[in-house]
Amino acid sequence: MAATGDTTGAKTTSEGWSSRSAFILAAIGAAVGLGNIWRFPTLAGESGGGAFVIFYVGCVFLLGLPLVLSEIIVGRVGQTDAVGSIKRVAAKSGVAPGWSIFGAIGACAAFLILSFYSVVAGWVLYYVGVMGVDFAEALAAGDPFRGALAGESREMIQGRMAGLFASPSLMLGMHLVFMGATFFIVARGVHGGIEKAATWLMPGFFALLVGITIYGAFAGEMGQALAFLFTPDWSKLTPPVMNAALGQALFSLSLGVAALITYGSYIKEGSGLGPTAAMIATADTCVALLAGLMIFPIVFAVGLDPAAGPTLVFQSLPFAFQTMPGGALIGLLFFVLILVAAITSSISLLEVPTAWGIGERRWSRVRSASIFGGGAFLIGIACLLGYNVWSDVRPLGFWPIFAETDILDTVDGFTGKIMLPVVALLTAIFIGWKADRKLVGATAGLSPAMLGVWRFLVAWLCPIAVALILLFGLFPGLLGA
Ligand code: PFF
């Protein structure tokens, strides 16, 4: 492409997936992560369950899925990093290269998300350690099927999280190990690193998820969990809750950070991307719902508060595992499951800016990954210090919606509630109104009827709905609330 009068200056990537299924696994690996197993149940619990969940699923299929396809198409056509890919689609469509701004904002968002993602994944790593030691003790005691953390009081178990938060060095160590592992995989490249990690880890992930959910169905309060997750109380669907649901849908599908543009650029052949996009969105949503069905039966079985917030998974569940037969083993598997999900996502987060450095700056892969992995590591340190020495810091405290938010939650909230929707909005306008219809349509490979539906969703529903949700979410006062 570069040889045929390409003026974008970006370097066409020579890297690629070895097959379509490798791409699908890697993209599902990117989509399925802490967002599904930690953020989704936390938000569903805090937002009152059913109405949030139903609105969320609507956002995924009516707004998210059309954008998943849009991003993959841009990457497939562009064959380079996100910024360069958008420029190429723009050049082929006769529109200004300035549209690539949403690739740049997306890459910044990926970089910022990586910083706190690695901190939270570090907490998971810590719990893998705690549960691993506990299971080893159970084995040594000749009782491998005992409950977790035998003999510890509720205060001791829940105090672990407080202990972790109070120790900058412990959190820093975990953050370092996780970021290091992410860097190690990304540095090995698309084929040898990212694809290998996804094809090895994702099947194990699904087996564990289904296994633990079935276990929860027998051991926990499945009826209560189903009622909580699927019975809507529409009065709870306020504009901030809608904004949170949209942000979560985008976050969970890895949209608005140019990740799917980047992964799409490694597809070398073929079109027909519509069914592929549908598989990614469906798998991601099934995992989020399954995670809810895995976590809430346990939460209700032991009388915990579903609205406990970000500590729900970490603080409450180890206690639940204590009271369950086989809890020591299940608890260990549970945290390994989250860790696997997190690493296949964090590699996609680092890959976005890394690909930008390779494509636009012509850096080597290792150099680019070190720069962005190192930078995100440093910002992550600020996030984790927000739990102890900098616990009074409110980075955007002047802004009412962030007035009470600590450093990590500010980075999370600012990216999720603002940057991702803005990028989603620009993506929809670009694909729906600016990009060459023939070029885009041919790559989508949909039947004429489906193509029509997709075009309508991208050109009309996505921009209008995302803009409204963004507006009312950020300024709830506009509705007189
Ligand atoms: N989709 C991931 C999750 O749900 O945990 C988070 C994420 C990964 C967002 C990769 C963006 C991204 F590029």
Side-chain angles (χ1 to χ4, degrees):
M1 222 168 286
T4 56
D6 175 58
T7 53
T8 62
K11 184 173 156 210
T12 297
T13 177
S14 56
E15 298 190 89
W17 309 111
S18 54
S19 64
R20 180 61 65 92
S21 51
F23 164 70
I24 294 174
L25 269 185
I28 292 177
V32 171
L34 294 173
N36 304 63
I37 304 178
W38 164 68
R39 213 167 177 270
F40 176 76
T42 300
L43 282 174
E46 286 176 338
S47 315
F52 171 88
V53 172
I54 293 168
F55 189 77
Y56 168 80
V57 173
C59 284
V60 166
F61 287 101
L62 295 175
L63 309 175
L65 174 54
L67 292 171
V68 169
L69 181 56
S70 303
E71 280 205 17
I72 299 176
I73 288 175
V74 173
R76 168 76 187 92
V77 173
Q79 292 293 301
T80 184
D81 70 282
V83 170
S85 286
I86 300 167
K87 281 190 188 152
R88 282 185 182 160
V89 175
K92 287 180 188 224
S93 310
V95 297
W99 278 96
S100 63
I101 184 76
F102 70 82
I105 304 174
C108 290
F111 173 71
L112 288 173
I113 291 174
L114 177 63
S115 70
F116 76 81
Y117 206 82
S118 171
V119 172
V120 179
W123 304 345
V124 180
L125 188 59
Y126 169 74
Y127 275 93
V128 169
V130 169
M131 302 306 271
V133 169
D134 180 59
F135 184 60
E137 283 170 6
L139 279 179
D143 189 8
F145 297 110
R146 71 159 161 77
L149 309 170
E152 291 194 17
S153 68
R154 187 173 187 143
E155 287 69 35
M156 279 164 78
I157 292 178
Q158 299 201 325
R160 266 219 176 75
M161 192 90 192
L164 175 65
F165 284 176
S167 168
S169 54
L170 188 54
M171 273 205 275
L172 184 75
M174 300 292 147
H175 172 44
L176 179 65
V177 171
F178 187 82
M179 191 67 90
T182 302
F183 166 77
F184 179 76
I185 297 174
V186 169
R188 297 177 68 91
V190 174
H191 183 67
I194 298 174
E195 179 175 320
K196 256 209 190 105
T199 41
W200 279 96
L201 295 177
M202 289 315 286
F205 170 85
F206 281 110
L208 269 179
L209 180 68
V210 171
I212 299 181
T213 310
I214 292 174
Y215 175 84
F218 287 108
E221 291 292 333
M222 188 55 105
Q224 223 175 322
L226 285 171
F228 179 74
L229 283 172
F230 297 110
T231 312
D233 171 358
W234 296 115
S235 69
K236 299 214 167 119
L237 200 61
T238 57
V241 167
M242 289 188 214
N243 190 357
L246 171 71
Q248 172 61 15
L250 300 176
F251 183 88
S252 192
L253 292 169
S254 306
L255 281 169
V257 295
L260 291 169
I261 301 182
T262 308
Y263 273 22
S265 75
Y266 305 131
I267 304 176
K268 294 294 152 199
E269 282 162 10
S271 55
L273 296 167
T276 305
M279 270 173 83
I280 297 167
T282 307
D284 185 65
T285 308
C286 288
V287 173
L289 296 177
L290 267 182
L293 293 179
M294 172 172 77
I295 288 163
F296 285 108
I298 301 178
V299 167
F300 290 121
V302 289
L304 300 168
D305 178 11
T311 55
L312 178 75
V313 171
F314 295 105
Q315 205 169 20
S316 316
L317 286 178
F319 171 70
F321 292 130
Q322 186 182 44
T323 57
M324 297 182 139
L329 177 60
I330 300 284
L332 174 60
L333 291 177
F334 176 81
F335 284 105
V336 170
L337 171 84
I338 309 184
L339 194 64
V340 166
I343 195 114
T344 53
S345 293
S346 64
I347 55 183
S348 71
L349 287 166
L350 180 54
E351 179 64 14
V352 176
T354 299
W356 178 84
I358 299 171
E360 306 294 312
R361 290 274 168 259
R362 314 221 162 208
W363 291 337
S364 72
R365 172 168 277 280
V366 170
R367 177 167 182 210
S368 194
S370 327
I371 290 173
F372 292 111
F377 175 71
L378 293 179
I379 301 175
I381 295 178
C383 292
L384 67 86
L385 290 178
Y387 282 87
N388 32 72
V389 285
W390 286 345
S391 60
D392 295 336
V393 176
R394 300 284 174 268
L396 297 180
F398 55 86
W399 193 340
I401 56 168
F402 293 116
E404 300 299 323
T405 333
D406 60 34
I407 302 176
L408 188 147
D409 283 348
T410 301
V411 182
D412 182 353
F414 186 77
T415 49
K417 290 190 182 140
I418 299 172
M419 293 178 86
L420 306 194
V422 166
V423 174
L425 185 62
L426 293 174
T427 311
I429 297 173
F430 180 69
I431 291 291
W433 296 96
K434 299 288 169 185
D436 184 277
R437 288 171 73 93
K438 274 209 198 93
L439 173 72
V440 164
T443 320
L446 294 169
S447 68
M450 286 310 290
L451 192 62
V453 173
W454 175 61
R455 280 196 200 288
F456 169 77
L457 293 175
V458 173
W460 292 98
L461 191 68
C462 288
I464 295 173
V466 172
L468 284 178
I469 295 172
L470 190 58
L471 197 65
F472 291 125
L474 292 186
F475 307 102
L478 288 177
L479 285 181

